[in-house]
Amino acid sequence: MKLVIIKYNAGNIQSVSFALERLGVDFAITDNAEEIRKADKVIFPGVGEASTTMHYLRDHKLDQVITALKQPVLGICLGMQLMCTFSEENNTECLGIFGETVKRFIPQGDLKVPHMGWNNLTLSDSWIDRSVDHQYAYFVHSFYVPVNAHTSATTEYIAPFSAAMHKDNFYAVQFHPEKSAETGERVLKSFLAL
Amino acid sequence: MLTKRIIPCLDIKDGRTVKGVNFVNIRDAGDPVELGATYARQGADELVFLDISATNEERKTFASLVKDIARHINIPFTVGGGISSVADVAPLLEAGADKVSINSAAVRNPQLIDELSRAFGAQCIVLAIDARKIDNQWTVHTHGGKKPTDKKLFSWAKEGQERGAGEILFTSMDHDGTKHGFAIDPLSKLNALLQIPVIASGGAGNKEHFIDAFVLGKADAALAASIFHFGEVKIPELKSFLDEKNIVIRP
């Protein structure tokens, strides 16, 4: 299997690479369109701000490459948000793979923003190993995707939101599997086993 | 539900953990990577690695250490110590650190918080504040808590939040090392005052102290060093104890 991580200005590429190394998986990090298209699986990482990142993707024509992919693609954190249609983060038009709008968390009482730390997952789709149901994953985000028809796992913070999604060949997680201990490793393995 | 976090803190000098560590089942307690990995396996929610090196030469060792930590540890970690510019932070985050903590340099130059937050995002900027009560006022100290400044804890924490810090790590110098418990009163005030998470630090001596920090102090996370290093409080036992007391915790 040939696995690639899309190389762009995402903050967590190093951490995702190390997580894959720990799983003993071979992979390449590339922004070469041909290499991405030819891969068996693609990881689309992401830490950063939506509009800057979308600009970067468009400037490098990676937006067209990503949306046209037919093999399994895993979006992580901002990667997942950018797979939606629109983000309230600086009113950004995104890739439009999932027809959702990414919304801003409004702090409520003791519930601070960003949503930062470990929170539990409730699974509703089988692409993620069942052993992950009700386990805790590590989140850091100020924007969220509401629960929708493509939600694969739900987490509650201020409102219930999509912790994971799936549509056709596109898979996505809001949390950081690369930083979520054994639970995160199981999620990555679930994607790798697809 | 979002859990409260337990954070062991490791002091590093010249690439080695400094404080004596008394651990069974660990080959080299002086190796920060191995010690960190042990804590991660035991259920630590995050780790903090603090570089207390005195010289630039020693600091160079730290940057390469961060990459080694990121390679082997599967939970988030913060690095700090001697950070004073955007140029200091970039290589640490690129090496795989999730957050950086700033302290003295931010007191000297508060603009640093704005710059780092803009460059890397608020979520990875931890403002560490060491404070001690002087004449009934919580006074901010720098240089490892040795030098008093004219800043006060509450106004400085609020300013830090406004300038773009994503988290406050509050250490009470009056409580640090006493093992008599965290500084509950200022903690609860900070948590009422701020919209960003607060990490309690200084004074942990037993499991009950963590309950106080979370319930009375309303802290989002609690940090400790020696009680974990010397095995006086073991993370798995601490977590089951907190769970029994209905604190939301990751098992």
Side-chain angles (χ1 to χ4, degrees):
Chain A
M1 182 190 72
K2 189 161 167 30
L3 174 69
V4 306
I5 300 176
I6 298 178
K7 180 175 162 186
Y8 73 109
N9 61 336
N12 61 339
I13 289 182
Q14 182 76 81
S15 303
V16 172
S17 315
F18 284 150
L20 293 170
E21 270 182 38
R22 287 194 294 269
L23 293 176
V25 186
D26 278 332
F27 60 93
I29 303 170
T30 181
D31 56 3
N32 179 286
E34 221 20 63
E35 210 179 331
I36 297 171
R37 279 189 208 109
K38 279 190 188 149
D40 297 305
K41 286 201 174 99
V42 176
I43 293 183
F44 178 39
V47 164
E49 189 275 322
S51 67
T52 322
T53 309
M54 276 308 300
H55 273 297
Y56 183 98
L57 293 176
R58 286 198 185 100
D59 285 351
H60 293 75
K61 302 211 162 31
L62 285 167
D63 56 333
Q64 300 161 22
V65 175
I66 294 167
T67 48
L69 292 173
K70 298 291 175 228
Q71 64 275 58
V73 180
L74 177 67
I76 298 176
C77 194
L78 181 65
M80 163 165 145
Q81 299 187 356
L82 296 181
M83 284 175 162
C84 294
T85 298
F86 184 82
S87 172
E88 288 183 1
E89 186 172 21
N90 295 313
N91 294 322
T92 305
E93 297 284 343
C94 301
L95 298 170
I97 293 163
F98 296 99
E100 306 301 316
T101 291
V102 184
K103 301 180 93 69
R104 178 187 294 275
F105 274 127
I106 310 294
Q108 200 179 83
D110 285 343
L111 301 177
K112 298 161 178 175
V113 176
H115 171 226
M116 175 157 55
W118 297 82
N119 205 331
N120 51 351
L121 310 168
T122 304
L123 297 187
S124 51
D125 184 348
S126 56
W127 75 268
I128 299 173
D129 190 274
R130 288 309 301 175
S131 67
V132 166
D133 200 17
H134 304 303
Q135 298 298 305
Y136 287 85
Y138 186 78
F139 291 85
V140 184
H141 58 128
S142 300
F143 295 81
Y144 69 98
V145 182
V147 174
N148 60 77
H150 301 293
T151 299
S152 322
T154 307
T155 293
E156 292 224 14
Y157 191 71
I158 300 177
F161 67 87
S162 297
M165 298 203 291
H166 167 215
K167 182 187 177 189
D168 307 326
N169 58 315
F170 292 96
Y171 301 80
V173 290
Q174 177 61 67
F175 52 90
H176 288 279
E178 73 277 18
K179 291 285 175 176
S180 295
E182 291 79 9
T183 298
E185 287 162 11
R186 284 196 203 123
V187 173
L188 287 174
K189 280 186 191 158
S190 300
F191 174 72
L192 296 172
L194 286 168
Chain B
M1 270 176 84
L2 185 65
T3 69
K4 301 288 188 183
R5 288 170 281 152
I6 301 295
I7 309 177
C9 177
L10 287 74
D11 285 348
I12 312 289
K13 194 171 186 224
D14 213 2
R16 306 279 296 167
T17 51
V18 177
K19 283 180 189 159
V21 174
N22 181 7
F23 246 118
V24 277
N25 301 328
I26 184 161
R27 280 165 300 171
D28 180 4
D31 175 2
V33 176
E34 185 164 4
L35 184 55
T38 303
Y39 284 134
R41 271 196 304 276
Q42 290 183 341
D45 296 303
E46 281 182 41
L47 298 167
V48 172
F49 295 88
L50 214 51
D51 184 21
I52 59 164
S53 296
T55 66
N56 287 332
E57 204 45 48
E58 289 174 341
R59 255 188 215 117
K60 281 182 196 142
T61 330
F62 190 61
S64 67
L65 175 65
V66 171
K67 197 158 184 173
D68 235 20
I69 295 168
R71 194 185 293 277
H72 291 99
I73 289 175
N74 60 7
I75 59 170
F77 67 96
T78 302
V79 296
I83 291 168
S84 58
S85 68
V86 168
D88 289 340
V89 171
L92 298 173
L93 295 180
E94 276 161 26
D98 299 276
K99 312 177 199 178
V100 294
S101 79
I102 48 172
N103 191 331
S104 301
V107 172
R108 252 191 330 269
N109 168 28
Q111 191 69 32
L112 177 65
I113 306 170
D114 306 62
E115 286 167 18
L116 293 178
S117 186
R118 255 201 312 275
F120 306 108
Q123 82 288 341
C124 62
I125 309 304
V126 180
L127 177 61
I129 306 180
D130 298 335
R132 183 190 295 278
K133 213 171 183 180
I134 297 175
D135 296 333
N136 224 22
Q137 292 230 53
W138 281 95
T139 306
V140 176
H141 285 59
T142 56
H143 299 82
K146 289 186 209 75
K147 258 174 83 173
T149 70
D150 46 16
K151 290 199 188 304
K152 303 297 172 228
L153 169 64
F154 301 111
S155 52
W156 176 229
K158 184 91 180 162
E159 183 181 341
Q161 171 180 293
E162 276 153 18
R163 286 182 179 277
E167 236 173 345
I168 301 289
L169 166 56
F170 161 55
T171 304
S172 163
M173 304 311 297
D174 291 334
H175 295 69
D176 201 29
T178 64
K179 299 194 176 172
H180 290 158
F182 295 95
I184 299 304
D185 192 47
L187 263 180
S188 69
K189 279 195 188 123
L190 279 175
N191 280 288
L193 181 75
L194 301 174
Q195 280 80 52
I196 55 176
V198 176
I199 306 167
S201 158
N206 60 42
K207 291 182 282 195
E208 285 77 8
H209 291 154
F210 288 84
I211 304 265
D212 294 342
F214 293 138
V215 176
L216 304 174
K218 301 225 181 335
D220 297 278
L223 176 145
S226 59
I227 55 159
F228 294 140
H229 299 334
F230 291 99
E232 294 163 36
V233 171
K234 294 183 181 69
I235 293 171
E237 288 163 24
L238 171 62
K239 287 199 140 180
S240 18
F241 176 74
L242 293 171
D243 187 48
E244 281 163 27
K245 302 287 175 187
N246 296 318
I247 307 284
V248 182
I249 209 89
R250 180 175 69 111

